[in-house]
Amino acid sequence: MVDSIKISKLSDMEAVLVRIQAGEDVPVELLDFTGLKKLQIKIYGDEEKYNGTLPSSLCYGLCDFQNELLKTYALIRYKTDNLRHLKNVDRELLEVVFEIKPGCTDLLASLTDFTKACGDAFSKMTHGMTGTQKTACMILLILSISGGVLVHSTIEANHDVEVQQIEASKEKEKAKSENERLIILRDGMLQAIHKDNQPGSDAQVIANGITEHSAKAYEGLLKPITDADKVVVNGVSGKVEMSQRQVQEFVSNPTEKLEHHDKLISVEIDGIKRSPDKLTVNCHEVGHETGFVVYVDLSFVEEEEVEEEEEEEEEAEEEG
């Protein structure tokens, strides 16, 4: 019997990445999430507002957080983030219960059940994905929902200040080190997903969805508390401390800024999926096996052009 892999801290996920990079197949079924520490969100500020209390605006933020997690699960389990596809049993299984402690508004939430449900969903659904991609996506999910999506914002916001401040406290240096490790780990998992991609695989779509919904989850949670003095998020990904300015900057830009480089390449289309507002095009560069995904916003495309493209694809499939 193959031993399970306990995931309870950052080093556990780094060990999984090392095995993946060595070419080992690590099935998602081996990951054990029972030891995951609770997600802790501490909100400091006005004592009348953030002293073991839950303002109504924050209630809405917690609902937004929960809904984005539900969308992530729906995407994995049902290949769509439309919540109408979730069953009552799904919602009961995925409910996140927050515990509030006094002193500041200290929220504690166990994500073990949610994480386990997503792991089971990966086991049941193939999405055309390899075992390595499923595991990499699962690690990416844990990193993201436990605060990892906040790191890019805090690093960018801190950069100019750190250049001017040569000496920093040991605690800040430790947090910086954890954040750097987290980014390396995240990038490694994304590379594994991209490298192992096969024609028709939904791996890139799932990975993008995980990152997007995790960012929106924290956007919804932080939006009602932009007046807080600071927010500290502590989970399996490590500790992320955000000042009021950093919280405001994240809410205004919850997703990581992309670098744009113009390049003209020849591609072959492996498949096109259509939704009401966009086309998802799976393709790969000519002469290369690695695929990637292109999204086409249908609001900028005439209906006739979409129909012509679909007809050409059907003809190509018939000829093949």
Side-chain angles (χ1 to χ4, degrees), residues 2 7 13 32 35 44 49 61 74 109 114 141 145 148-149 172 193 202 209 228 232 246 260 286 295 318:
V2 182
I7 304 295
M13 294 182 280
D32 180 1
Y44 298 85
K49 186 176 181 180
F114 170 79
L141 172 63
I145 65 174
V149 291
K172 286 186 177 179
I193 293 168
D202 291 328
V232 179
Q246 290 168 337
H260 296 279
V286 175
Y295 297 100
E318 290 176 357

Side-chain angles (χ1 to χ4, degrees), residues 8-289:
S8 61
K9 52 187 180 297
L10 201 58
S11 58
D12 294 334
M13 294 182 280
E14 289 173 326
V16 173
L17 177 60
V18 170
R19 293 171 64 170
I20 288 176
Q21 290 178 330
E24 185 178 345
D25 182 26
V26 183
V28 70
E29 292 83 359
L30 291 183
L31 303 184
D32 180 1
F33 313 109
T34 55
L36 279 180
K37 65 185 293 186
K38 288 186 176 182
L39 175 65
Q40 182 182 44
I41 303 169
K42 285 190 174 184
I43 307 166
Y44 298 85
D46 185 347
E47 291 186 0
E48 293 185 2
K49 186 176 181 180
Y50 302 116
N51 186 17
T53 59
L54 191 63
S56 59
S57 58
L58 184 52
C59 291
Y60 288 111
L62 294 176
C63 288
D64 289 340
F65 186 90
Q66 171 78 73
N67 281 336
E68 293 301 329
L69 295 190
L70 292 177
K71 289 179 181 179
T72 303
Y73 175 83
L75 182 63
I76 297 169
R77 181 71 177 86
Y78 302 109
K79 296 190 177 184
T80 174
D81 58 9
N82 190 324
L83 295 182
R84 287 182 297 180
H85 289 77
L86 288 182
K87 302 175 176 59
N88 288 334
V89 65
D90 292 329
R91 293 178 181 273
E92 293 174 5
L93 184 65
L94 299 168
E95 184 178 20
V96 177
V97 179
F98 283 90
E99 175 187 351
I100 304 176
K101 293 194 171 184
C104 55
T105 294
D106 187 355
L107 305 174
L108 285 173
S110 174
L111 297 174
T112 303
D113 290 343
F114 170 79
T115 307
K116 185 178 183 302
C118 289
D120 291 342
F122 270 122
S123 299
K124 296 172 183 175
M125 302 298 292
T126 63
H127 295 285
M129 297 165 63
T130 65
T132 295
Q133 287 178 324
K134 291 182 180 182
T135 298
C137 279
M138 197 61 228
I139 297 294
L140 180 65
L141 172 63
I142 297 171
L143 289 173
S144 300
I145 65 174
S146 60
V149 291
L150 301 172
V151 170
H152 79 88
S153 175
T154 58
I155 288 180
E156 288 179 0
N158 279 332
H159 178 70
D160 293 335
V161 177
E162 288 177 355
V163 169
Q164 300 171 23
Q165 298 177 350
I166 299 176
E167 294 187 4
S169 67
K170 291 182 179 179
E171 189 64 29
K172 286 186 177 179
E173 283 301 314
K174 180 182 177 182
K176 179 182 176 183
S177 175
E178 283 186 340
N179 290 347
E180 289 173 344
R181 287 170 61 195
L182 190 151
I183 290 176
I184 292 171
L185 178 57
R186 180 201 62 179
D187 290 347
M189 291 302 171
L190 289 173
Q191 288 172 5
I193 293 168
H194 185 71
K195 181 180 178 181
D196 215 29
N197 212 28
Q198 301 293 326
S201 170
D202 291 328
Q204 199 64 54
V205 176
I206 298 294
N208 292 343
I210 287 171
T211 304
E212 177 186 351
H213 289 302
S214 297
K216 286 183 177 179
Y218 278 97
E219 177 191 10
L221 181 63
L222 296 175
K223 188 177 293 184
I225 56 174
T226 52
D227 62 338
D229 294 340
K230 70 174 181 178
V231 177
V232 179
V233 178
N234 202 352
V236 66
S237 295
K239 181 179 178 182
V240 182
E241 185 171 321
M242 307 178 75
S243 66
Q244 184 182 90
R245 178 172 62 87
Q246 290 168 337
V247 169
Q248 293 171 350
E249 288 178 350
F250 179 83
V251 169
S252 63
N253 179 39
T255 54
E256 194 167 355
K257 294 178 182 177
L258 299 177
E259 294 183 5
H260 296 279
H261 301 282
D262 292 333
K263 184 179 180 182
L264 185 62
I265 61 174
S266 298
V267 301
E268 293 181 353
I269 297 176
D270 301 312
I272 301 175
K273 295 182 181 179
R274 182 176 182 180
S275 61
D277 58 345
K278 68 181 178 183
L279 293 178
T280 301
V281 184
N282 287 284
C283 51
H284 65 273
E285 189 174 353
V286 175
H288 294 75
E289 295 183 358

